[in-house]
């Protein structure tokens, strides 16, 4: 589904990513783990073609995105759903309008044509009853599930989640992680979860990479992750001056 090969990326002389290579298979969830500022969100921008690498290749379903036209890139992006940390909903329109907005705009469809689809997506995330509610009536976890419903409307084959559980209480966290898993199992989507939370990553992902200072410093399966977790925390997540991590 996604293959990054030897990506270098710098901003204003600052090396943000260095020789980053990773793959995401179809129907696979990859967790990108790392401390704040390590380059995780930048990797998502590279996958979306929003950050142009100085070196390396970005392949999405076998297509090198540096070689496609802008309209082809737009088509590739439609296969990719994005869920940001804060849910990023428009507060002045209803939940249903939030979910259907871009779809209605891009496909030139009427409200009546889009509404059944919006209901189907809200049903998938367990929030059909919120159709006519305003975003500020929802809890943090519900807002993120609405953001996932909005990402699903294009029927993406890949969903990118940037810190999907940060700031949520344990129950809301679990509901998001279960939803991510359900989408993989029932809708066959591949996922990338960016997080600094090792427990959340372990709950949701099939494969893991750890980023530090823009470099991939570790990669492995669930079994390897479970076995090396403590060693990894000490090595990659704790600042040397911290007594306890
Ligand atoms: N637009 C930008 N201009 C300058 N520096 C940036 C920009 N975006 C990100 N960075 C820097 O790149 C590094 C990685 O950022 P980011 O990918 O957002 O990290 P993460 O998502 O892991 O917290 C950080 O040091 C950040 O300050
Ligand atoms: Mg980030």
């Amino acid at each position: 589904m996604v293959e990054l090969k030897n990506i270098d990326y710098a901003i204003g002389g600052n090396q943000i990513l260095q020789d980053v290579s990773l793959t995401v298979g179809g129907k696979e969830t990859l967790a990108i783990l790392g401390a704040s500022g390590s380059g995780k969100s930048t990797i998502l921008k590279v996958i979306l073609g929003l950050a142009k690498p100085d070196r390396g290749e970005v392949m999405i379903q076998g297509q090198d995105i540096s070689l496609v036209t802008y309209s082809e890139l737009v088509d590739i992006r439609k296969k990719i759903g994005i869920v940001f940390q804060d849910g990023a909903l428009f507060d002045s329109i209803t939940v249903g309008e939030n979910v259907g907005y871009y779809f209605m705009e891009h496909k030139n469809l009427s409200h009546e044509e889009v509404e059944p689809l919006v209901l189907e997506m809200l049903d998938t995330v367990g929030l059909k009853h919120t159709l006519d509610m305003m975003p500020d009536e929802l809890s943090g976890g519900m807002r993120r599930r609405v953001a996932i419903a909005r990402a699903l409307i294009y029927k993406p084959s890949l969903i990118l989640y940037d810190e999907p559980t940060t700031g949520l209480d344990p129950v809301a966290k679990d509901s998001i992680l279960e939803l991510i898993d359900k989408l993989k199992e029932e809708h066959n989507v591949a996922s990338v979860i960016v997080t600094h939370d090792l427990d959340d990553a372990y709950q949701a992902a099939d494969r893991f990479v750890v980023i530090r200072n823009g470099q991939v410093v570790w990669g492995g399966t669930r079994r390897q992750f479970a076995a090396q977790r403590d060693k990894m925390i000490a090595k990659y997540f704790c600042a040397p001056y911290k007594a306890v991590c």
Side-chain angles (χ1 to χ4, degrees), residues 96-97 100-101 103-118 153:
E97 286 163 343
Y101 182 77
F103 201 71
M104 223 157 66
E105 289 284 296
H106 289 161
K107 301 263 174 175
N108 225 349
L109 297 173
S110 70
H111 193 270
E112 288 68 33
E113 287 168 301
V114 172
E115 190 165 293
L117 210 56
V118 167
I153 203 156

Side-chain angles (χ1 to χ4, degrees), residues 59 87 91 104 110 112 124 130 157 175 191 211:
M59 311 287 290
D91 280 324
M104 223 157 66
S110 70
E112 288 68 33
T124 302
T130 66
S157 15
S175 84
S191 311
I211 306 291

Side-chain angles (χ1 to χ4, degrees), residues 3-10 14-23 38-39 42-43 46 53-58 209-219:
E3 186 171 11
L4 302 188
K5 287 189 205 164
N6 310 109
I7 300 293
D8 286 350
Y9 178 69
N14 252 353
Q15 199 67 38
I16 311 289
L17 298 178
Q18 201 178 337
D19 203 26
V20 169
S21 296
L22 56 84
T23 59
S38 56
T42 305
I43 293 177
V46 166
D54 305 311
R55 183 178 76 104
E57 281 173 27
V58 183
V209 293
V210 178
I211 306 291
R212 191 173 60 162
N213 297 332
Q215 287 180 286
V216 176
V217 289
W218 190 87

Side-chain angles (χ1 to χ4, degrees), residues 11 14 16 34-43 45 162-163 194:
I11 304 175
N14 252 353
I16 311 289
S36 179
S38 56
K40 305 181 298 295
S41 296
T42 305
I43 293 177
K45 285 188 200 156
D162 199 347
E163 308 268 3
V194 157

